[in-house]
Amino acid sequence: MTLTKGRRSFIIGCGCTAFIKPRGQRTTEDMGLEAATKALLDAGITYDLIETAYVGHCFGDSTSGQRALYNVGMTGIPITNVNNNCSTGGTALYQANNCVRSGLVECALALGFERMAPGSLGTNFPDRPSPVAPFSSKTQELEQVLKAGSNFGPGAPRMFANAGQEYFNKFGGDIVHLAKIAAKNHAHSVHNPYSQFRSGWTVQQVLDSPKINKQLTKFMCSPTSDGSACCIVASEAFVHAHGLENQAIEIMGMELETDDPTSFESNSAMEVVGYSMTQRCADKVFAQAGFAPGKGRDEVGVVELHDCFAANELVTYPALGLCAPDAAHKMVDNGDNTYGGKYVVNPSGGLEAKGHPLGATGIGMHFYITMQLREWAGPMQAPALFNTVDRRGKYGMTHNIGIGGAVVVSLLRRPEFYKAGGADGRSRLGYNHGCECRSITLADVEKVKSTKWSPYILGRARL
């Protein structure tokens, strides 16, 4: 469990690659090098100042994290590889943040990447039962009490579709609400140069796309993707020592929660996919940020949540406390999930549009929220985040979940000592990477690599 009381911690640098179709065009070490280099440039530091690193990936071989980071240095620091299903990236950042908050280190790095296979997710170990098999079995059993009856299709979308159907049965709404969510995310992604899809599908186009199961169409589902993201977390003393007051974003709260018996014993398809797990995690995060029970949601302005399928975005609204339990479909109808509404949810386009490389997804969410709170998000920028009495402005929120299961929720905010002006990540990269995607060069790597580096290793990088 995260320390209730600990030091303040801040995201001081972040970087991201484009999320692309999984065609084997890039290696994980090259994608990791790009994201890490951008994050180090953004922070204005070299790899020598990183004291520990956590690297998330689900489909990489053992020690893939070391292989990627050895490109920027071989300093002997602890590098821990993390695998926690779709919440892998968030889990890696959670561990890095805890190292800083606890006082173990002043500066930690979280990196995530994935090189995936096309098509629906499957197991890499067909010779043994999958750890998510009980979740699949339970959701199929529960189909008999849902109005739509027996479902079909691949396991992951089937689980989340059943959760959406349970919501419909209890509270109203229908598949059109899922199409509205998906179309909203695809419309957002048009402005995101890092996105895998930028076609801006309409509600009707989403509904007309091929059926995956009874509730979901293809454009309501996140694609498999290749990509990488990186965040650097540091203490308040580190922020001031390196003059990062003009871009450091505070992690006000971050928690990781796993399943309790409710996931199976409540006979709820929504619980199978982590409804209460998300609820408990969010409540702990708001408490960590100093809010009384049930309070704080009105102070959130922008959210990146885990829309692996449109149905999960629907049920996550109430799980996070963004609306009443029966009001998720009303939130969609009222436009309170997009620009001009109460919250801007997934301004990046979300997983459905920007892509879902499992190890990178949770860290990528923090990249996008950090850019929002720096006001560097360009055409993706959520409006009025700082039209508040408190100069720190509204909070940004992330939600990263994986079946099996684990969820990471965080609250970010601009600190009270924020001071605009001077050199920042944009000047160090030479462009605003919050809303412009470029590749890196060897000259970029030279600026951030450690004094302890191997020409033998770096010479293998393909930039």
Side-chain angles (χ1 to χ4, degrees):
M1 181 180 292
T2 305
L3 296 172
T4 302
K5 294 182 179 178
R7 299 194 305 173
R8 299 175 74 181
S9 59
F10 302 81
I11 293 176
I12 61 167
C14 45
C16 199
T17 71
F19 289 1
I20 59 176
K21 292 181 179 180
R23 298 290 185 265
Q25 297 171 339
R26 303 195 69 189
T27 65
T28 55
E29 53 264 31
D30 289 339
M31 291 186 287
L33 172 60
E34 179 181 333
T37 297
K38 288 177 176 177
L40 289 163
L41 282 171
D42 184 31
I45 63 173
T46 69
Y47 188 68
D48 288 304
L49 294 178
I50 303 298
E51 297 171 80
T52 191
Y54 291 86
V55 185
H57 52 89
C58 291
F59 300 103
D61 211 340
S62 180
T63 68
S64 290
Q66 284 91 325
R67 178 64 186 88
L69 288 175
Y70 283 178
N71 280 313
V72 288
M74 301 178 69
T75 58
I77 64 168
I79 298 175
T80 305
N81 291 266
V82 176
N83 182 341
N84 223 10
N85 209 346
C86 298
S87 61
T88 291
T91 302
L93 185 55
Y94 168 82
Q95 298 292 354
N97 184 52
N98 279 352
C99 285
V100 173
R101 291 193 68 235
S102 67
L104 289 174
V105 301
E106 296 299 314
C107 187
L109 180 147
L111 175 67
F113 48 67
E114 216 67 78
R115 176 171 168 170
M116 301 181 72
S120 297
L121 295 178
T123 180
N124 282 345
F125 304 99
D127 62 333
R128 68 203 73 177
S130 167
V132 302
F135 295 84
S136 296
S137 297
K138 187 64 178 180
T139 195
Q140 290 181 39
E141 293 171 14
L142 293 170
E143 288 170 5
Q144 306 314 309
V145 300
L146 296 174
K147 289 181 180 179
S150 296
N151 215 333
F152 61 90
R158 186 170 178 172
M159 278 189 271
F160 287 98
N162 289 342
Q165 184 63 51
E166 181 180 319
Y167 179 91
F168 300 154
N169 291 359
K170 288 181 174 180
F171 306 119
D174 55 32
I175 295 171
V176 174
H177 290 93
L178 304 186
K180 288 180 177 179
I181 288 171
K184 177 265 298 180
N185 288 331
H186 282 281
H188 289 180
S189 79
V190 169
H191 302 293
N192 184 359
Y194 294 92
S195 278
Q196 186 167 333
F197 296 126
R198 301 180 70 189
S199 300
W201 306 116
T202 65
V203 170
Q204 193 58 52
Q205 286 173 313
V206 171
L207 288 169
D208 292 341
S209 63
K211 294 282 284 185
I212 302 301
N213 52 44
K214 287 185 175 180
Q215 295 80 12
L216 297 173
T217 67
K218 182 178 180 179
F219 293 163
M220 297 176 188
C221 304
S222 61
T224 51
S225 314
D226 292 352
S228 180
C230 181
C231 285
I232 299 170
V233 183
S235 66
E236 183 175 5
F238 191 99
V239 169
H240 294 310
H242 292 84
L244 294 168
E245 294 88 352
N246 60 355
Q247 66 178 56
I249 298 299
E250 186 167 7
I251 301 174
M252 301 294 294
M254 177 178 267
E255 291 282 357
L256 187 153
E257 186 87 3
T258 58
D259 292 283
D260 72 5
T262 308
S263 298
F264 298 105
E265 305 306 326
S266 63
N267 292 320
S268 163
M270 289 168 62
E271 293 296 349
V272 169
V273 299
Y275 184 89
S276 289
M277 182 169 71
T278 289
Q279 202 170 43
R280 295 191 306 271
C281 194
D283 287 346
K284 289 178 180 178
V285 167
F286 278 92
Q288 190 184 125
F291 291 102
K295 303 297 183 181
R297 275 65 172 184
D298 289 344
E299 296 191 37
V300 173
V302 61
V303 183
E304 288 284 344
L305 62 76
H306 200 96
D307 63 312
C308 47
F309 305 96
N312 197 47
E313 179 162 332
L314 182 77
V315 301
T316 298
Y317 295 157
L320 291 174
L322 301 179
C323 66
D326 63 349
H329 63 297
K330 300 171 190 175
M331 184 171 159
V332 174
D333 286 336
N334 294 336
D336 280 332
N337 59 355
T338 189
Y339 298 90
K342 185 174 183 180
Y343 309 102
V344 181
V345 179
N346 290 333
S348 67
L351 283 61
E352 292 169 78
K354 80 169 182 291
H356 182 25
L358 274 61
T361 290
I363 299 174
M365 291 174 175
H366 288 82
F367 166 82
Y368 288 108
I369 292 296
T370 296
M371 294 305 171
Q372 290 283 344
L373 299 179
R374 290 179 180 176
E375 295 185 285
W376 296 5
M380 293 178 282
Q381 185 66 48
L385 291 181
F386 298 97
N387 292 353
T388 57
V389 174
D390 192 322
R391 68 186 299 269
R392 295 174 296 172
K394 293 184 178 181
Y395 290 81
M397 189 178 194
T398 75
H399 162 265
N400 181 209
I401 196 168
I403 297 295
V407 62
V408 179
V409 176
S410 70
L411 277 177
L412 309 183
R413 199 181 198 187
R414 182 184 282 185
E416 79 286 348
F417 56 70
Y418 170 80
K419 183 171 57 179
D424 59 28
R426 294 169 295 186
S427 57
R428 288 185 284 267
L429 271 87
Y431 63 99
N432 182 3
H433 61 304
C435 59
E436 186 176 349
C437 181
R438 299 185 190 179
S439 58
I440 60 168
T441 66
L442 184 58
D444 292 325
V445 180
E446 294 285 349
K447 294 175 184 176
V448 300
K449 74 182 185 189
S450 168
T451 55
K452 297 175 67 175
W453 65 283
S454 168
Y456 186 82
I457 294 296
L458 185 55
R460 283 164 162 68
R462 292 182 298 170
L463 301 176

